[in-house]
């Protein structure tokens, strides 16, 4: 496709989609959003690019291959099980770590966030695989 | 919902949106060509965005705005992908 409108729109929408994907990922525990939706949004930003320009160019530009994304995400998911096992809790029970930040206040980091980031990366990889196999780029 | 000027306005706008949805559904089902169907799908996405905004006014929650932002960013990727498919098929 060689549409100038689409190409310029894809450039700007890409940044917006990535921003919104990170917002959806980070607030996913208590509000709508989460790893799956964030991953879909982040992958769609690249797919926009693929439609506007050329799917082959996009695949060549990707520094990390889709299967690496999936492997990284699944290993993060497995890694998020470890703290609950070490603390002798139920498997996948949330372990929260409270970090004090000087001005902003208290930040709660926990294994659900790690799990969500793993899901995020896995969904990105799977969506890339779907897209590249549907557009027959090899 | 009790009567009153804002609520009457809300009900009237819901009715108008419902009319628009029914008309575009008619075009989606009995479209002569596939291009009519693509455009009507895009239009239905916009109408659904209007519905969600009105509903967020009714239940008084701002969290639904994010849904509208996501739909407006995503909506035309379906249109673009169907158009790409039609272009490469010929």
């Amino acid at each position: 496709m060689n549409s100038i409108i689409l190409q310029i729109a894809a450039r700007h929408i890409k940044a917006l989609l990535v921003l919104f994907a990170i917002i959806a990922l980070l607030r996913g525990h208590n509000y709508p959003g989460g790893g799956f939706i964030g991953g879909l949004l982040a992958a769609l930003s690249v797919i926009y690019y693929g439609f506007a320009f050329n799917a082959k160019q996009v695949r060549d530009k990707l520094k990390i291959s889709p299967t690496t994304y999936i492997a990284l995400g699944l290993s993060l998911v497995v890694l998020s099980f470890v703290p609950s096992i070490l603390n002798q809790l139920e498997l996948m029970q949330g372990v929260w770590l409270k970090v004090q930040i000087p001005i902003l206040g208290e930040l709660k980091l926990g294994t659900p966030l790690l799990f969500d980031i793993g899901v995020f990366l896995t969904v990105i990889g799977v969506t890339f695989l779907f897209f590249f196999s549907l557009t027959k780029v090899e | 919902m009790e009567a009153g000027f804002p609520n009457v306005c809300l009900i009237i706008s819901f009715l108008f949106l419902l009319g628009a949805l029914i008309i575009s559904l008619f075009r989606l089902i009995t479209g002569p060509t596939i291009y009519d169907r693509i455009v009507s799908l895009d239009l239905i996405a916009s109408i659904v965005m209007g519905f969600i905004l009105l509903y967020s006014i009714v239940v008084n929650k701002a969290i639904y705005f994010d849904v509208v932002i996501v739909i407006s960013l995503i909506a035309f990727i379906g249109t673009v992908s169907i158009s790409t498919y039609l272009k490469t098929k010929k």
Side-chain angles (χ1 to χ4, degrees):
Chain A
M1 291 260 287
N2 284 319
S3 161
I4 283 188
I5 299 174
L6 198 61
Q7 289 176 357
I8 293 175
R11 248 173 237 153
H12 296 287
I13 284 175
K14 189 180 71 168
L16 271 180
L17 271 176
V18 170
L19 179 72
F20 213 82
I22 292 171
I23 291 175
L25 168 69
L26 287 184
R27 67 158 189 205
H29 198 61
N30 296 329
Y31 288 103
F36 191 85
I37 297 166
L40 276 182
L41 287 176
L44 273 178
S45 71
V46 175
I47 288 176
Y48 258 127
Y49 233 64
F51 274 127
F53 295 93
N54 196 351
K56 190 166 177 10
Q57 284 178 11
V58 173
R59 193 196 169 91
D60 293 342
K61 257 190 172 179
L62 276 185
K63 293 189 179 64
I64 308 172
S65 77
T67 43
T68 317
Y69 272 113
I70 297 176
L72 211 65
L74 287 180
S75 44
L76 270 183
V77 167
V78 172
L79 198 69
S80 77
F81 295 169
V82 173
S84 61
I85 298 174
L86 286 183
N87 290 342
Q88 294 178 340
L89 300 168
E90 291 283 325
L91 190 66
M92 293 174 74
Q93 190 172 347
V95 178
W96 295 91
L97 179 73
K98 287 176 184 168
V99 180
Q100 293 287 343
I101 295 177
I103 300 164
L104 294 173
E106 201 179 63
L107 181 67
K108 275 171 135 182
L109 293 174
T111 50
L113 180 65
L114 205 60
F115 187 83
D116 264 353
I117 293 174
V119 174
F120 182 83
L121 290 176
T122 312
V123 170
I124 286 180
V126 170
T127 319
F128 282 173
L129 271 186
F130 283 167
F131 179 63
F132 291 134
S133 53
L134 281 177
T135 50
K136 291 180 185 147
V137 177
E138 272 311 321
Chain B
M1 199 188 291
E2 69 267 26
F5 182 66
N7 292 334
V8 171
C9 288
L10 276 178
I11 290 171
I12 289 173
S13 27
F14 266 122
L15 284 179
F16 272 114
L17 277 178
L18 190 65
L21 189 64
I22 289 170
I23 293 170
S24 49
L25 265 180
F26 173 75
R27 182 53 68 194
L28 179 70
I29 294 168
T30 69
T33 62
I34 194 165
Y35 307 106
D36 296 317
R37 295 199 168 111
I38 296 171
V39 173
S40 75
L41 266 181
D42 208 31
L43 185 59
I44 284 174
S46 307
I47 295 168
V48 167
M49 274 156 55
F51 265 118
I52 295 171
L53 282 177
L54 277 181
Y55 184 70
S56 78
I57 296 174
V58 170
V59 300
N60 214 351
K61 275 187 179 152
I63 197 94
Y64 290 98
F65 282 16
D66 300 343
V67 182
V68 176
I69 295 174
V70 171
I71 291 179
S72 65
L73 286 174
I74 298 301
F76 76 77
I77 197 163
T79 317
V80 169
S81 54
I82 299 173
S83 314
T84 315
Y85 168 69
L86 284 177
K87 204 178 173 189
T88 53
K89 207 176 72 169
K90 278 170 189 168

